Amino acid sequence: MGVSTSPAITVRPRAGGDAGVDVAVEDVRIAAPGPGQVRVAIRATGVCHSDLHVVNGDWPADQPLVLGHEGAGVVEEVGPGVTGVAPGDHVVLSWFAPCMACANCSAGRGWLCTGTTALANTLPDGSTPFAGADGSPLWPYLGLGTFGSHVVVPETAAIRVDDELPFTVGALLGCSVTTGVGAVLNTARVPAGASAVVVGCGGVGLSIVMGLRLAGAHPIVAVDLSADKRAMALELGADVVLDPRETDTGAWLQEQFGGVDFAFEAIGNAQVIETLPGMLAAGGAAVLVGMPRMGARSSIDPYELADQGKSILGCNYGSSVARVDVPRLARLYLAGRLPLDRLIDTVRPLAEGPQALDELASGAGLRSILTP
Ligand SMILES: NC(=O)c1ccc[n+]([C@@H]2O[C@H](COP(=O)([O-])OP(=O)(O)OC[C@H]3O[C@@H](n4cnc5c(N)ncnc54)[C@H](O)[C@@H]3O)[C@@H](O)[C@H]2O)c1
Ligand SMILES: [Zn+2]
Ligand SMILES: [Zn+2]
């Protein structure tokens, strides 16, 4: 199969530097896979706040992009030298395709890969598989660009999963779930019986709640501005929920439990991050999962951290090795141990992507899934 054309959701920077971006549904050309590359037909793609960060200018875009990085689909065609997947395989796409050659990849820490080109929004050889109708390049967001009918990705970004796994759930395994559950199991290594608070209960935060439940944490406290998100956190395993407009989370946790062992931030709000150490018991750890706008600063009290042995952990992609963690989480879902489908609010056509991004910005609803 050669070049094909189909609609995708794009963002194009407006002329004049900091003037923001235009979001559109437009016809995009998709190339055939090159050496080491795989062409995947997208069956479902989730709308994540990391897409919204580009749309709202938190992370300024300097290239025109095909948006989307949380997707699952079916391998349609493989390029020369691809041995790990074949046409017809069901795959989850990983937005942090490791280079498999740097020191961190060699040490089995692919989430810390320093050779990946994903963050530069290109394929590993610096190219893009996408072009606009006029032939000018469009770049794959986080090396994927899942908000369309097809992607062309390096073999290392296409993770084979069980055919029984619904594509909607597979899409969430591409980002929010692997990040959130991984933050608990890999980054923080929460032991059974540890206490925890999760601040922000969107797709990532609710995945953290599910991960804490799986790990046997207790009590699990969940905080969100939205009553719907708090209700879902209770259903998914939180023991207590708090509205931060009514309750000072840190003061309440200190009064009730003398602080908690782990405090997860899943919003990306620099002011909220500043309040995490105050939620912890001595020896506790704050885990930064939410990603703030570029350049944001948070201030901490270093005396408190040193004196009380508190720590702050950064968390990229749930400290996950996608090839290991994604199939593992898929099996837990299929075994009924992780009710990941509960995160899905609406499944809607790709053309409604801009509306889904607006709803995510307003905090309404749970995860939206788009289908091409
Ligand atoms: N570390 C990683 O590798 C990684 C991966 C994926 C996403 N992220 C980041 O995680 C963050 C969350 O992503 P998401 O898709 O779950 O977003 P989301 O928009 O679905 O969820 C954010 C939640 O925070 C709540 N919230 C907002 N302000 C709040 C406040 N002051 N107090 C309490 N709750 C508040 C909202 O109501 C919403 O439920 C984003 O910053 C995203 O970029 C990081
Ligand atoms: Zn690497
Ligand atoms: Zn994401």
Side-chain angles (χ1 to χ4, degrees):
M1 189 182 294
V3 173
S4 64
T5 302
S6 54
I9 298 173
T10 62
V11 293
R12 291 179 177 276
R14 292 185 196 121
D18 293 340
V21 297
D22 289 315
V23 181
V25 182
E26 60 175 295
D27 276 340
V28 170
R29 296 187 203 167
I30 307 125
Q37 297 173 354
V38 178
R39 183 176 151 114
V40 176
I42 298 291
R43 293 292 176 80
T45 174
V47 181
C48 174
H49 209 109
S50 297
D51 299 303
L52 190 59
H53 282 307
V54 176
V55 172
N56 68 15
D58 284 348
W59 301 347
D62 55 8
Q63 313 148 287
L65 300 169
V66 175
L67 205 59
H69 65 284
E70 193 177 72
V74 180
V75 175
E76 210 175 63
E77 189 181 354
V78 300
V82 170
T83 54
V85 288
D89 285 352
H90 291 203
V91 291
V92 164
L93 298 165
S94 160
W95 58 261
F96 198 70
C99 76
M100 306 305 281
C102 73
N104 282 327
C105 282
S106 302
R109 298 191 298 255
W111 68 94
L112 299 176
C113 174
T114 54
T116 184
T117 59
L119 302 182
N121 306 316
T122 79
L123 295 181
D125 62 3
S127 71
T128 177
F130 300 126
D134 63 356
S136 63
L138 277 159
W139 298 90
Y141 182 47
L142 298 175
L144 298 181
T146 57
F147 286 175
S149 67
H150 293 81
V151 292
V152 171
V153 298
E155 182 181 356
T156 50
I159 314 298
R160 192 170 175 199
V161 288
D162 199 310
D163 287 2
E164 278 175 50
L165 185 76
F167 290 110
T168 49
V169 171
L172 300 184
L173 285 169
C175 182
S176 49
V177 166
T178 301
T179 298
V181 179
V184 174
L185 301 182
N186 302 329
T187 313
R189 295 181 178 272
V190 172
S195 54
V197 62
V198 183
V199 190
C201 296
V204 175
L206 289 172
S207 297
I208 295 172
V209 170
M210 280 191 271
L212 288 167
R213 177 68 176 255
L214 192 67
H218 183 82
I220 302 168
V221 181
V223 182
D224 202 289
L225 296 170
S226 147
D228 291 346
K229 303 280 175 62
R230 295 196 300 272
M232 186 48 73
L234 279 176
E235 284 188 36
L236 292 174
D239 299 292
V240 186
V241 289
L242 301 176
D243 179 344
R245 287 162 303 200
E246 287 173 4
T247 308
D248 177 329
T249 306
W252 190 86
L253 291 172
Q254 293 300 341
E255 190 187 300
Q256 295 290 317
F257 312 118
V260 288
D261 299 315
F262 295 95
F264 294 84
E265 203 270 4
I267 309 165
N269 180 317
Q271 284 80 47
V272 171
I273 288 169
E274 289 181 341
T275 67
L276 295 187
M279 300 179 189
L280 296 172
V287 188
L288 308 190
V289 190
M291 309 275 269
R293 69 175 168 76
M294 302 260 179
R297 315 285 299 179
S298 301
S299 89
I300 50 145
D301 175 352
Y303 182 90
E304 177 193 357
L305 262 62
D307 180 60
Q308 296 178 37
K310 297 178 178 177
S311 55
I312 299 180
L313 306 175
C315 171
N316 187 43
Y317 211 177
S319 310
S320 298
V321 174
R323 197 165 289 284
V324 175
D325 289 274
V326 167
R328 187 178 280 172
L329 295 174
R331 285 193 295 274
L332 284 166
Y333 166 77
L334 290 171
R337 302 279 296 272
L338 268 180
L340 302 177
D341 43 1
R342 304 293 302 281
L343 293 174
I344 299 166
D345 191 24
T346 50
V347 180
R348 44 167 64 167
L350 186 74
E352 292 180 18
Q355 191 186 328
L357 285 159
D358 287 345
E359 286 170 19
L360 185 66
S362 75
L366 298 171
R367 213 56 159 187
S368 272
I369 300 282
L370 307 175
T371 53

